[in-house]
Amino acid sequence: QVFRIENDGDAVFTGDVTLAENKAIFFDSTDTFIKANTGNPEDLVISADEDIILAPDDNIQIEHGATTYAEFMGDERELRITGNISASGVLKADTGISSSGDIKLIGGANDIIFGEPGDTTSQNYGIKTDGNLFLDIDKDNDNTGNFFQFRSNQATTNIMRITDTGEVGIGTQSPTAALQVEGVISAS
């Protein structure tokens, strides 16, 4: 027995379900579910050799118990996540990333890249806010020697450095005064 219909109308599959090419399973009611056996919960795996396309007329929710962890808002073309997002690769957004909490890069050598690496087109990018903007280094105050550095040409040219003790160096990586400039200063 691979397929049976329960008294409550549930369709139960106890083996693999294979659809021929260009065939579909349609659900003709509201609030229809595909779920693993609740009496003996196991993994529910949906796999394909090619793309898997979910195309609802409304929203898609990913839930565990009574908690919704992810929701794709179809009309707004927006993915809402409750909890943390973890990515071991690149996280891309064409129009924006927003969060009511912190956006964190954890570990060393993490970059926020505007545009594609190696892109030769000239684009303008900005960091904007309607309020104050804070750029903090050494937020837990447990280290010295931290700095902000402005560089050009893939980090081969140092333009300006601001140390965690407040010295500003233009053309130097190790300023020893409140403002230290290496090179010619022009003022009018």
Side-chain angles (χ1 to χ4, degrees):
Q1 177 183 353
V2 175
F3 170 72
R4 71 176 184 276
I5 298 178
E6 301 285 322
N7 292 334
D8 59 5
D10 285 351
V12 177
F13 299 89
T14 57
D16 293 341
V17 176
T18 303
L19 297 178
E21 186 175 339
N22 295 321
K23 299 300 178 190
I25 298 175
F26 292 97
F27 299 99
D28 198 18
S29 65
T30 59
D31 298 332
T32 303
F33 300 94
I34 298 175
K35 60 184 178 180
N37 184 348
T38 55
N40 181 20
E42 296 292 332
D43 294 336
L44 173 63
V45 178
I46 300 173
S47 65
D49 292 334
E50 296 292 332
D51 297 333
I52 295 176
I53 299 171
L54 302 175
D57 290 334
D58 202 358
N59 302 334
I60 297 174
Q61 291 177 307
I62 298 174
E63 299 178 349
H64 182 268
T67 303
T68 299
Y69 289 100
E71 186 172 18
F72 176 74
M73 309 301 290
D75 292 342
E76 300 172 33
R77 297 181 65 198
E78 179 177 294
L79 178 62
R80 297 178 183 171
I81 305 291
T82 303
N84 296 328
I85 298 174
S86 178
S88 60
V90 175
L91 180 61
K92 293 184 178 181
D94 290 333
T95 57
I97 296 175
S98 65
S99 174
S100 59
D102 293 338
I103 297 175
K104 298 179 181 180
L105 299 176
I106 300 172
N110 290 307
D111 295 324
I112 298 174
I113 300 172
F114 296 96
E116 293 292 327
D119 188 358
T120 58
T121 61
S122 295
Q123 301 289 331
N124 296 317
Y125 299 99
I127 299 173
K128 302 174 183 177
T129 179
D130 288 333
N132 299 322
L133 177 63
F134 297 95
L135 301 174
D136 294 331
I137 54 174
D138 193 22
K139 68 179 180 62
D140 55 4
N141 199 26
D142 69 344
N143 200 350
T144 59
N146 294 310
F147 54 85
F148 288 111
Q149 184 163 320
F150 297 85
R151 306 180 297 191
S152 68
N153 193 21
Q154 296 288 331
T156 59
T157 304
N158 177 52
I159 296 172
M160 182 173 71
R161 181 178 287 201
I162 304 172
T163 68
D164 60 356
T165 53
E167 290 88 10
V168 177
I170 299 175
T172 178
Q173 293 189 38
S174 51
T176 57
L179 175 62
Q180 182 175 345
V181 178
E182 296 292 325
V184 177
I185 299 174
S186 177
S188 57

